[in-house]
Amino acid sequence: MRARAIMVLGTSSHVGKSLLVAALCRIFSRHGVRVAPFKSQNMSLNSAATVEGLEIGRAQALQAEAAGVPASVHMNPVLIKPSGGMTSQIVVRGKIWGTLSAKDYHQRRVQELMPLIRESYETLAEEYDVIILEGAGSPAEINLKENDIVNMRMAELADAHCLLVGDIDRGGVFASLLGTVELLDPDEQLRIHGFAMNKFRGDIHLLESGVHMMEARLNKPCLGVIPYLPQLALDEEDSLGMPAPDATPWNLEDSPNRPLHIAVLALPSFSNFTDFDALRSEPSVSLRFCRTSDQLRHADIIVLPGSKQTVDDLLWIRKQRLDHILIDHAKSNIVIGICGGMQMMGESIADPLGMESIGEVPGLALLPIRTSMQAHKVTNLADGAFAASSLLNQPIENLSISGYEIHIGETLYLDNAQPFSSITRATDPSTRHPDGCISADGRVIGTYLHGIFDQDGFRHTFLAAARIFHHLSPALSYECWKAKREISLNRLATEVEQALDMQRIFAWVNYTYQPSVRDHLKQPTPISNAEAVS
């Protein structure tokens, strides 16, 4: 049988569609339903690798995790990665399809991409009982609607019952809900089977009269009001979820018990900022996203993160004269590069095919490597082991690592270069590959692996060594990141399940809702020492 479908639409971007889909995936999974997420087109620099060695949006990887199923490229067949200059790299079925301007993409996407999207959806629909679809932005963008492939056209293809969600925290939610529905065509309005309000904080009784008036105006039921949920340790989809650079000076207390100061350079084309969520959650760490020399001052560790436009971001670093800061910092402190950040720290970056730029530029010369951009993108889940005998001058044995690769560069090791790790890829588990590089003095570290700090063992070992390096006392406690994510997913699902009319939503896909399943679940405990992510 073909799966039945529910679609979560939003009145705008960042109203909480991605996390609501994750919550519904977890709720249906709890009730024994084979469920999977789907978003036909995603625009994000936050991506993940699948077991097949392909690339999808990170939000769909989280939603698959919530559903308890492996992430598949069919869950997000089209991924748009902005490249600057009004162009974007288009990733189709996990591989680079081309780099197009917004105009060219909008003119081509329905004709060329819709058949592939339909095929991916049908592949999932044959394997699962229920598909939870996610829309993008708003379905009422009337200037783009003709070539839309992610909202109402997709709802029709899947024959989905649609839930329209508005963000009450930002204000204007009633106007947003009403305006969205009224800008839809009559047949599209019929697909909206109810609405909900997200991120509510306050007295629910003060909202009731407005909800009743909205139900009368829309002739559609309100299926619930979801509370604002702070301290959710879950991935954000796009840069709207990334904290702004912090200009507040670090607390310069002269105490061995102070937090470790980690500065992540917020590059113009910063990608995969969720690489640092686990570090941010550690009570012994003060992590900030920084863009100026003043903000980098007093950092114990500076991190160069991944970049969608590596050469452009390297030139930006030089223009801001941050290269001198990084080079000076590396003389006595710790510098880490992840993916594009590691490439910047080498001797040079060449781009003979013009994948991201043109020509060759010198790197920061902090690591004995050279990088050449290639047409083929490496996208793999990877596991391995730390290759050196010491980390930040602390003896290390049998330190496991894991993460995922998403890069187009091929790195050449120069004389006496020391790899960071030895890895195997999920697509080729029989072959070991060197990854990354460590400087001779051990203070500069580079790796291609995103998500490396998500692994509790590596993160705890690294932080312990870094605190010793900076003459700080051992951390009093460490977070268990994977357990924390699971608690957060369960908490999110429980709150959403209590807030929404699940009997009606289950009936949309011909299931009978059993409240007893929810009532017998252990309630998650509150999470402390974590920054709110709604």
Side-chain angles (χ1 to χ4, degrees):
M1 290 179 59
R2 187 175 188 265
R4 298 178 178 91
I6 295 169
M7 189 168 199
V8 177
L9 297 168
T11 56
S12 69
S13 296
H14 210 60
V15 301
K17 295 187 295 293
S18 295
L19 289 186
L20 185 52
V21 169
L24 291 173
C25 283
R26 176 55 59 96
I27 292 166
F28 274 95
S29 178
R30 282 175 172 178
H31 287 259
V33 179
R34 297 184 306 162
V35 60
F38 181 86
K39 187 170 185 177
S40 57
Q41 171 194 286
N42 201 346
M43 177 178 282
S44 179
L45 291 179
N46 245 10
S47 59
T50 68
V51 176
E52 313 107 310
L54 299 169
E55 184 178 12
I56 64 171
R58 187 147 192 84
Q60 280 62 63
L62 172 68
Q63 292 159 1
E65 181 181 346
V69 299
S72 165
V73 73
H74 294 298
M75 296 172 180
N76 177 212
V78 179
L79 176 63
I80 302 174
K81 307 189 78 171
S83 303
M86 295 181 65
T87 64
S88 294
Q89 181 185 90
I90 313 300
V91 178
V92 177
R93 294 269 183 89
K95 297 184 178 181
I96 297 175
W97 187 65
T99 299
L100 300 176
S101 68
K103 179 179 179 181
D104 288 342
Y105 178 71
H106 280 281
Q107 290 176 343
R108 295 172 57 180
R109 62 183 181 178
V110 173
Q111 293 78 9
E112 298 186 41
L113 295 178
M114 201 62 201
L116 294 171
I117 289 171
R118 179 190 297 270
E119 186 177 47
S120 282
Y121 181 80
E122 295 295 345
T123 298
L124 292 179
E126 290 177 3
E127 185 176 351
Y128 294 94
D129 299 321
V130 171
I131 308 295
I132 312 293
L133 293 87
E134 180 185 346
S138 164
E141 302 293 350
I142 55 178
N143 56 315
L144 303 175
K145 190 173 176 182
E146 180 182 0
N147 293 314
D148 175 63
I149 60 175
V150 67
N151 288 304
M152 301 316 297
R153 182 178 270 109
M154 194 62 232
E156 181 180 2
L157 186 154
D159 193 21
H161 288 64
C162 296
L163 173 65
L164 180 63
V165 180
D167 177 2
I168 197 169
D169 191 51
R170 68 174 63 186
V173 68
F174 296 121
S176 298
L177 289 166
L178 181 63
T180 298
V181 173
E182 291 194 347
L183 285 172
L184 297 177
D185 296 337
D187 59 326
E188 295 171 337
Q189 293 177 0
L190 293 175
R191 287 211 171 271
I192 309 297
H193 288 256
F195 66 92
M197 299 180 193
N198 195 22
K199 306 181 187 179
F200 177 76
R201 35 188 163 186
D203 186 347
I204 192 71
H205 299 292
L206 297 177
L207 189 65
E208 289 176 351
S209 61
V211 169
H212 296 324
M213 284 187 281
M214 185 57 57
E215 288 180 319
R217 290 289 298 268
L218 294 177
N219 194 26
K220 299 179 187 297
C222 177
L223 299 187
V225 178
I226 304 166
Y228 178 85
L229 299 176
Q231 300 176 329
L232 281 180
L234 299 174
D235 304 342
E236 289 283 359
E237 180 177 52
D238 53 39
S239 59
L240 288 174
M242 186 181 76
D246 191 343
T248 306
W250 266 298
N251 186 344
L252 301 181
E253 57 180 312
D254 186 17
S255 168
N257 296 316
R258 70 166 175 83
L260 189 69
H261 298 165
I262 301 179
V264 179
L265 196 56
L267 302 167
S269 297
F270 194 166
S271 67
N272 287 70
F273 62 87
T274 51
D275 281 345
F276 309 104
D277 285 352
L279 285 172
R280 288 171 59 205
S281 76
E282 290 287 350
S284 65
V285 168
S286 175
L287 185 146
R288 296 182 177 178
F289 296 99
C290 304
R291 298 201 80 175
T292 69
S293 57
D294 286 342
Q295 292 169 357
L296 293 173
R297 190 172 291 119
H298 305 302
D300 299 313
I301 301 171
I302 297 179
V303 183
L304 274 69
S307 167
K308 177 62 187 68
Q309 297 294 119
T310 306
V311 171
D312 286 350
D313 280 350
L314 176 58
L315 296 176
W316 175 83
I317 287 173
R318 287 205 166 95
K319 184 177 180 180
Q320 304 299 316
R321 299 189 63 80
L322 297 177
D323 51 334
H324 302 290
I325 302 292
L326 292 165
I327 292 169
D328 288 343
H329 186 87
K331 292 176 182 177
S332 58
N333 291 291
I334 302 167
V335 180
I336 299 171
I338 298 176
C339 198
M342 179 189 72
Q343 293 173 343
M344 297 178 200
M345 297 196 308
E347 298 287 340
S348 64
I349 302 174
D351 194 353
L353 302 177
M355 297 300 297
E356 292 186 0
S357 60
I358 297 176
E360 181 172 348
V361 298
L364 299 173
L366 296 176
L367 289 173
I369 57 174
R370 289 180 183 151
T371 299
S372 178
M373 299 298 186
Q374 305 293 318
H376 172 67
K377 180 181 286 190
V378 177
T379 51
N380 265 295
L381 299 176
D383 293 290
F386 184 63
S389 59
S390 66
L391 177 62
L392 303 177
N393 299 323
Q394 299 303 307
I396 296 295
E397 290 185 6
N398 303 320
L399 179 59
S400 298
I401 62 169
S402 63
Y404 57 98
E405 299 174 279
I406 300 179
H407 61 90
I408 60 172
E410 181 178 342
T411 294
L412 172 69
Y413 289 89
L414 304 182
D415 292 343
N416 301 316
Q418 168 69 52
F420 166 75
S421 65
S422 175
I423 62 172
T424 59
R425 293 166 174 160
T427 54
D428 182 19
S430 62
T431 304
R432 300 195 72 83
H433 304 269
D435 167 70
C437 187
I438 300 180
S439 63
D441 59 18
R443 290 194 293 266
V444 181
I445 300 170
T447 178
Y448 270 121
L449 295 182
H450 294 284
I452 193 168
F453 291 113
D454 291 356
Q455 310 309 309
D456 292 339
F458 175 79
R459 187 179 68 259
H460 297 169
T461 301
F462 171 81
L463 292 177
R467 292 188 70 84
I468 293 172
F469 182 92
H470 285 287
H471 308 291
L472 299 175
S473 300
L476 296 178
S477 64
Y478 289 105
E479 288 282 7
C480 294
W481 181 244
K482 288 189 178 298
K484 184 172 184 175
R485 280 173 64 86
E486 189 65 13
I487 289 171
S488 290
L489 279 170
N490 282 330
R491 175 175 171 236
L492 170 68
T494 297
E495 293 280 2
V496 169
E497 192 169 0
Q498 290 173 342
L500 295 184
D501 184 348
M502 296 310 302
Q503 288 188 346
R504 195 185 302 251
I505 291 173
F506 268 56
W508 288 351
V509 286
N510 292 348
Y511 280 90
T512 300
Y513 177 65
Q514 301 290 341
S516 59
V517 175
R518 181 198 70 194
D519 295 341
H520 284 96
L521 285 170
K522 181 180 179 181
Q523 294 300 308
T525 55
I527 302 168
S528 60
N529 301 321
E531 187 169 345
V533 178
S534 63

